[in-house]
Amino acid sequence: MTTATDSTTPVRVCTLEDLEVERGRAALLDGQQVALFLLSDGTVLAVDNLDPFSGANVISRGIVGSRGGVPTVASPLHKQIFDLRTGECIETHGKPPAALRVWPVAIDDGVVYVRMPESVGS
């Protein structure tokens, strides 16, 4: 478990070797659950693990895919589809719009760092 003390400082979360391609992993940062995804092109993206439709922390267990070249994750509960780059829900299945918060990610020498989004740390 990693705890951040300053929202402007990137927090070491894991190594790239800890992640599996197109499989989510959850991490806890300052009491917030984050879902991390390693894409097939080597990009790592992070969004809230909290599904805004069900209220459960399950996004890291979602199905990774793409829509028109956009990396996506489908909630494992109700199958709403989210853009992993922006957090926007692109398929709501008739529910009101919602989005996942996006967490900035950096990779340095095989180590994955996540920075708390401004809306969380303020």
Side-chain angles (χ1 to χ4, degrees), residues 33 49-59 75 77-78 80 82 95 98 100:
Q33 288 196 28
N49 197 34
L50 183 67
D51 180 340
F53 294 98
S54 70
N57 285 300
V58 295
I59 295 298
S75 168
L77 295 179
H78 300 292
Q80 285 84 10
F82 298 90
K95 304 235 182 207
L100 301 171

Side-chain angles (χ1 to χ4, degrees), residues 47-117:
V47 295
D48 278 343
N49 197 34
L50 183 67
D51 180 340
F53 294 98
S54 70
N57 285 300
V58 295
I59 295 298
S60 65
R61 297 295 168 223
I63 301 165
V64 176
S66 66
R67 289 275 170 97
V70 173
T72 61
V73 63
S75 168
L77 295 179
H78 300 292
K79 309 302 184 240
Q80 285 84 10
I81 298 172
F82 298 90
D83 180 333
L84 283 171
R85 300 169 311 165
T86 66
E88 177 186 359
C89 185
I90 57 177
E91 191 172 300
T92 64
H93 298 288
K95 304 235 182 207
L100 301 171
R101 185 174 35 217
V102 175
W103 294 69
V105 175
I107 300 170
D108 184 23
D109 199 25
V111 177
V112 179
Y113 295 87
V114 175
R115 183 185 314 258
M116 189 169 285

Side-chain angles (χ1 to χ4, degrees), residues 7-71:
S7 65
T8 63
T9 304
V11 177
R12 183 187 192 282
V13 176
C14 62
T15 67
L16 278 174
E17 292 178 353
D18 294 326
L19 302 175
E20 293 179 61
V21 175
E22 298 192 359
R23 303 277 314 253
R25 289 285 192 259
L28 185 63
L29 300 176
D30 267 357
Q32 302 288 317
Q33 288 196 28
V34 179
L36 294 147
F37 297 92
L38 172 60
L39 304 181
S40 59
D41 68 0
T43 302
V44 177
L45 299 173
V47 295
D48 278 343
N49 197 34
L50 183 67
D51 180 340
F53 294 98
S54 70
N57 285 300
V58 295
I59 295 298
S60 65
R61 297 295 168 223
I63 301 165
V64 176
S66 66
R67 289 275 170 97
V70 173

